[in-house]
Amino acid sequence: MNAIDIPLDRLPPQQRAVICAVDGERTFRRRLMEFGFVPGAEVTLRTTSPVGDPLDVVLRGARVSLRRREAASIGVRLLGP
Amino acid sequence: MSTPPWVALAGCPNTGKTTLFNALTGRRARVGNYPGITVERVFAEALTPGGPVTVVDVPGAYSLAARSADEQVAVSALLGLAGNPRPALTVVVLDATRLERNLYFALQVIELGSPVILAVNMMDAARSEGVQLDLDAMSAALGVPVVGVSARQGEGIDALRAEVARVLAEPAAPPPWTWTPGPALEADLAALAPAAAAMGEGLSPGATRALALWALLSIDSSDELTDVPAGLRLQVLARLKAAREAGRDVDAEGVTARYTWIDAQMGAWIRRSPVPRSWTDRLDAVLLHPVAGFVLFLGIMVVVFQALFAWSEPLIGLVEKAIGLAGSGVQAVVPAGIFADFLTDAVVGGVGNVLVFVPQIALLFVFISLMEDTGYMSRIAFLMDRIMNRVGLHGRAFVPMMSAYACAVPAVMATRTMERRRDRYLTMMVLPLTTCSARLPVYTLLIAALVPATVIFGVSAKSLVMVGLYLFGTITALLAAAVIGRTVLKGERVPLLMELPPYRRPSARSVGRRVARRSWLFIRDAGAFIFVCTAILWALLYFPRSNAEVEALERAHAAVQAPTAEQKAAFALEIEGAQKRGSIAGRIGHVMEPALEPFGQDWQVGVGLLGAFAAREVFVSTMGLIFGMGRDVDAESAPLRARLQSEKRPDGKPRYTPLSALALMIFLALACQCMSTLAAVKRETGGYKWPVFMFTYMTTLAWVCAVGVYQAGRLLGYG
């Protein structure tokens, strides 16, 4: 990840971003990618669960929920408004 | 006539696959398991213009790649591997409103090379959300037929039937893959193909190539796949190692190419007109609100709980009344004697013990189906994940755990809402520790009879003990989850990856079907076990018919001149009591006594515990029988309470004390004292392993805790 990339769990709410890297343990990384978290895909952090975790993310026209811990393995780059 | 061809119905979760299955097949679905695994396989006949076909509902998945045997079911079912029949055709269901999410799976299925039809479902929802689809362009790009349907409205179903018949009659050659693997990946696939071909007989070259890719993405050193030839496994591991060393990312090569294609093509088929804020967003603003969301969630849970606890009561009453009528019917027809008693108490009683659970199971599944079909169940997981995850439970485990306060049997069945086996089993193993309503009469009796009426801080000790028992059960269940999840069911930490589907209106038909199916499966699969246990328990208390005490009583009664009706009734109860005390169960009670003594109980309680195995509340009536008061006593029975208070040990001290009552209640709180729960667990796990484990760990835990409390209490000078 280069300097302007941040992990998905630190994306500010409603900020559009594009995925630039997916890391992590093999099976889960594969699952993330098959779920649509591939480099180049656009994501927006919609909100977090009222208790802080998991996240509610918009990806490919659908809402997906994943925990912060795993979201940290997805690197994103902010997009302009 | 030849057997109808198999048509597999596959798709991602939340695409309305089950609704489409029902729309295609009518109501005569059969439920079994996939070969060698306890994953439910639902199949049914459907009519097409070309004749009947057998449609099999393949478990929903986002990808065919698998890590566990459960996930592997999808690829096995689609290719006819591992003992599955090979489908002649696969219908892939997609959600028109979220095509880009479902196309990845569809591409994988198309790559398998057997005939495929894409059924784009929820066309009605897409229209109202301003999504316009060009299905012809989609079909041309993918090389397979595409049919638009709205399963809930029944729209497009006949067109789908016609298309199924047409493709079965004249199957087209499979389209080429939409993407071209790079040279290195292509070399991997070519090298692995021969070994992959060994996974099934007569696989087409296309299927073999797709299986090679499947193997490359699924197999690693710690997967839990079955039926993978050793040669294939070794070759895959070697290929993966070589790829790693060459700096390649095989997973990305296999996955991103499909998405690149999807992203490039989609624009040509889809037009989205911008819509104002959707209903789902508006609802979620409330339902996932930090305050309102939780308040509503708790409100919904209270309603579910109320239904299980209170609304089920009149229905259960009806079942019991019907069973009672059947029993008296038998007695009226069959001459009195062992056979009549067997029919009334063991046979009719056994059927009753099964049917009595149906109202709660049906009610719980009404709510579960509603929550799943509307999309609210995913929100529950979203709200509860963090809290439940603390002890290693899935967010969705909340509903079964809560239902267990009413009854563990429907709760065990409700674990089905979780996809992963480990999550289901872990929840099942701990939920009988929560205080179910059948424990209530037993607690009530023991507390009323033996806990002193002392008032502590303005609250009676009796209520404190009751509340304490509820808390104790809950905390133990959570602790047990934490322990079992880290030991017996230790699995890799599985990350949450869940869709929050748009809210949808549920359909009464689909809810009704699910409720009927679950109730029927319980009767079919758990019924026999409960029935046999009832008969055994009946026999244990029924035989032998006479003993020395009974004979002595009979002689004494015979000496009474012209007894009154009242006396006669009392004699009968005395004799019944003596018979029960001398029964096989009574003897087992005596044998158990050394294990009961350390927590302050005697053989009579032992018999009660044995009887309670039929259902916990039977403890009360068994104690009534043993004490010669008949079976019609209940928790409010004054004579039974008095008897518990007045029983003496040989040394003249009270037999039952507040301390021994507390120890007994702790035992009852933790012990697996319920054959029906065990039957339900056996049904859901498909064998005896897990019910045996559950029974063993719970009973051991119960005994250790009860003995600990009793002995510590004695050391402190109580009892």
Side-chain angles (χ1 to χ4, degrees):
Chain A
M1 265 182 240
N2 43 57
I4 52 161
D5 300 342
I6 58 166
L8 176 58
D9 64 316
R10 286 205 251 130
L11 193 65
Q14 309 306 332
Q15 165 76 53
R16 290 165 63 226
V18 65
I19 296 173
C20 48
V22 184
D23 296 318
E25 180 269 330
R26 184 182 176 214
T27 305
F28 185 61
R29 175 169 180 264
R30 191 206 75 213
R31 266 192 232 277
L32 277 178
M33 290 196 295
E34 295 199 294
F35 220 76
F37 288 98
V38 289
E42 195 183 314
V43 283
T44 310
L45 175 63
R46 197 177 168 276
T47 175
T48 61
S49 170
V51 283
D53 203 16
L55 310 179
D56 176 358
V57 165
V58 177
L59 171 78
R60 296 180 181 277
R63 283 167 54 198
V64 174
S65 179
L66 76 172
R67 297 195 189 116
R68 284 185 180 281
R69 185 173 167 152
E70 281 86 42
S73 65
I74 301 175
V76 298
R77 185 166 304 160
L78 304 189
L79 286 176
Chain B
M1 209 183 103
S2 62
T3 51
W6 282 75
V7 173
L9 192 65
C12 298
N14 307 311
T15 49
K17 180 164 62 71
T18 306
T19 315
L20 181 57
F21 178 86
N22 290 335
L24 277 174
T25 59
R27 58 179 58 119
R28 281 211 218 143
R30 283 188 283 164
V31 183
N33 279 339
Y34 278 95
I37 193 163
T38 51
V39 173
E40 251 176 36
R41 173 166 74 178
V42 185
F43 56 100
E45 198 161 276
L47 285 172
T48 77
V53 296
T54 305
V55 183
V56 56
D57 190 359
V58 178
Y62 290 104
S63 164
L64 289 180
R67 186 174 175 83
S68 64
D70 286 11
E71 292 172 341
Q72 200 180 347
V73 162
V75 77
S76 301
L78 292 182
L79 282 176
L81 312 175
N84 285 286
R86 182 162 300 164
L89 164 70
T90 300
V91 175
V92 180
V93 191
L94 300 93
D95 174 351
T97 64
R98 288 166 307 145
L99 264 191
E100 49 272 70
R101 293 211 46 72
N102 301 154
L103 270 170
Y104 181 88
F105 179 81
L107 283 188
Q108 281 186 319
V109 177
I110 295 170
E111 286 164 19
L112 296 177
S114 44
V116 170
I117 297 173
L118 300 189
V120 178
N121 192 17
M122 307 198 192
M123 292 297 281
D124 53 336
R127 278 192 294 271
S128 59
E129 286 172 30
V131 181
Q132 285 168 292
L133 295 173
D134 184 347
L135 298 183
D136 293 334
M138 187 175 158
S139 169
L142 286 158
V144 296
V146 178
V147 182
V149 296
S150 296
R152 256 173 31 129
Q153 265 66 41
E155 175 192 320
I157 303 298
D158 286 334
L160 181 58
R161 285 181 210 278
E163 195 61 24
V164 167
R166 193 187 65 77
V167 173
L168 284 176
E170 34 185 297
W177 285 16
T178 51
W179 56 288
T180 313
L185 184 59
E186 192 61 68
D188 287 331
L189 298 184
L192 291 172
M199 286 192 71
E201 273 170 44
L203 290 168
S204 70
T208 311
R209 185 158 177 257
L211 261 183
L213 180 60
W214 176 87
L216 202 59
L217 292 196
S218 300
I219 292 174
D220 63 28
S221 46
S222 61
D223 67 59
E224 291 154 22
L225 305 172
T226 54
D227 298 307
V228 174
L232 177 61
R233 175 177 291 277
L234 282 177
Q235 286 188 44
V236 167
L237 293 177
R239 288 264 154 191
L240 286 173
K241 186 160 173 280
R244 249 194 323 274
E245 281 162 5
R248 284 172 56 209
D249 182 350
V250 174
D251 297 327
E253 287 172 30
V255 177
T256 45
R258 292 185 185 123
Y259 270 114
T260 309
W261 187 86
I262 292 168
D263 291 341
Q265 297 287 322
M266 287 283 302
W269 324 327
I270 296 194
R271 293 262 175 290
R272 278 178 201 283
S273 31
V275 276
R277 205 160 161 238
S278 73
W279 266 110
T280 296
D281 286 349
R282 274 185 250 177
L283 276 171
D284 271 340
V286 181
L287 290 173
L288 299 181
H289 186 271
V291 181
F294 273 103
V295 170
L296 283 167
F297 169 64
L298 288 178
I300 292 169
M301 290 302 113
V302 166
V303 172
V304 175
F305 196 65
Q306 185 66 13
L308 287 182
F309 232 118
W311 302 354
S312 67
E313 227 159 70
L315 296 171
I316 294 175
L318 276 181
V319 173
E320 282 170 346
K321 200 170 243 173
I323 294 300
L325 281 177
S328 15
V330 168
Q331 278 172 334
V333 178
V334 183
I338 292 181
F339 186 62
D341 287 348
F342 172 74
L343 283 183
T344 2
D345 293 337
V347 177
V348 176
V351 171
N353 278 347
V354 178
L355 294 184
V356 81
F357 290 105
V358 171
Q360 282 181 323
I361 290 174
L363 275 169
L364 181 55
F365 271 93
V366 168
F367 286 101
I368 285 184
S369 309
L370 283 175
M371 291 192 285
E372 285 199 330
D373 290 1
T374 51
Y376 188 66
M377 193 63 101
S378 302
R379 270 70 181 183
I380 293 182
F382 185 69
L383 289 173
M384 298 306 294
D385 179 72
R386 185 165 201 175
I387 297 162
M388 301 300 281
N389 199 242
R390 288 261 162 88
V391 291
L393 289 168
H394 191 283
R396 288 190 177 202
F398 189 85
V399 175
M401 290 294 281
M402 185 207 63
S403 313
Y405 285 92
C407 178
V409 172
V412 164
M413 303 197 60
T415 56
R416 190 149 282 281
T417 57
M418 287 172 277
E419 278 161 33
R420 276 186 69 232
R421 178 185 297 256
R422 177 188 172 273
D423 294 328
R424 285 200 303 270
Y425 286 16
L426 181 58
T427 311
M428 260 183 246
M429 287 304 113
V430 302
L431 60 79
L433 288 168
T434 54
T435 304
C436 68
S437 58
R439 284 174 174 106
L440 213 52
V442 188
Y443 290 169
T444 308
L445 171 71
L446 293 172
I447 289 176
L450 298 167
V451 173
T454 326
V455 173
I456 304 164
F457 298 122
V459 187
S460 91
K462 291 179 193 278
S463 347
L464 279 182
V465 170
M466 188 62 100
V467 173
L469 285 165
Y470 269 85
L471 279 177
F472 177 65
T474 308
I475 293 168
T476 317
L478 297 178
L479 287 177
V483 172
I484 295 175
R486 283 182 176 81
T487 52
V488 182
L489 278 166
K490 188 179 162 98
E492 50 196 87
R493 198 180 52 85
V494 167
L496 175 86
L497 195 53
M498 170 182 77
E499 236 181 307
L500 294 169
Y503 289 110
R504 304 257 185 237
R505 204 153 30 88
S507 99
R509 242 171 63 171
S510 134
V511 171
R513 279 233 174 91
R514 287 257 284 287
V515 170
R517 181 176 295 167
R518 285 299 135 205
S519 308
W520 164 241
L521 287 175
F522 172 78
I523 294 171
R524 188 188 79 179
D525 298 340
F529 185 95
I530 296 177
F531 183 82
V532 169
C533 280
T534 308
I536 292 174
L537 289 172
W538 170 82
L540 290 182
L541 271 164
Y542 193 81
F543 296 108
R545 294 306 295 150
S546 189
N547 56 49
E549 196 190 348
V550 171
E551 281 162 23
L553 278 172
E554 277 169 350
R555 278 194 298 277
H557 294 161
V560 178
Q561 296 288 324
T564 61
E566 244 169 57
Q567 275 177 312
K568 275 187 186 163
F571 290 168
L573 285 178
E574 270 183 52
I575 287 181
E576 194 179 16
Q579 185 272 320
K580 297 302 173 213
R581 288 190 290 274
S583 68
I584 308 173
R587 289 175 210 176
I588 297 177
H590 280 286
V591 174
M592 282 161 64
E593 205 168 57
L596 301 171
E597 198 59 55
F599 64 101
Q601 312 306 320
D602 63 354
W603 66 272
Q604 304 182 99
V605 170
V607 182
L609 291 177
L610 210 57
F613 203 64
R616 284 183 176 92
E617 68 269 23
V618 176
F619 181 83
V620 177
S621 57
T622 311
M623 293 310 275
L625 282 174
I626 291 287
F627 290 141
M629 298 170 182
R631 65 170 80 184
D632 294 330
V633 294
D634 61 25
E636 312 297 326
S637 159
L640 185 56
R641 288 180 184 180
R643 182 66 183 264
L644 286 171
Q645 288 157 353
S646 64
E647 277 285 295
K648 296 279 188 283
R649 287 167 176 276
D651 62 6
K653 286 188 188 161
R655 174 73 254 184
Y656 306 112
T657 62
L659 180 61
S660 76
L662 184 64
L664 177 57
M665 285 187 282
I666 285 181
F667 183 85
L668 288 164
L670 303 181
C672 186
Q673 272 274 304
C674 179
M675 62 171 183
S676 309
T677 306
L678 291 169
V681 171
K682 176 179 168 279
R683 199 252 151 220
E684 293 297 320
T685 61
Y688 284 99
K689 181 180 160 196
W690 289 103
V692 165
F693 167 73
M694 188 166 102
F695 177 79
T696 313
Y697 105 81
M698 283 181 67
T699 308
T700 311
L701 182 69
W703 190 82
V704 169
C705 289
V707 170
V709 165
Y710 185 72
Q711 296 301 339
R714 300 230 339 182
L715 281 177
L716 295 171
Y718 298 98

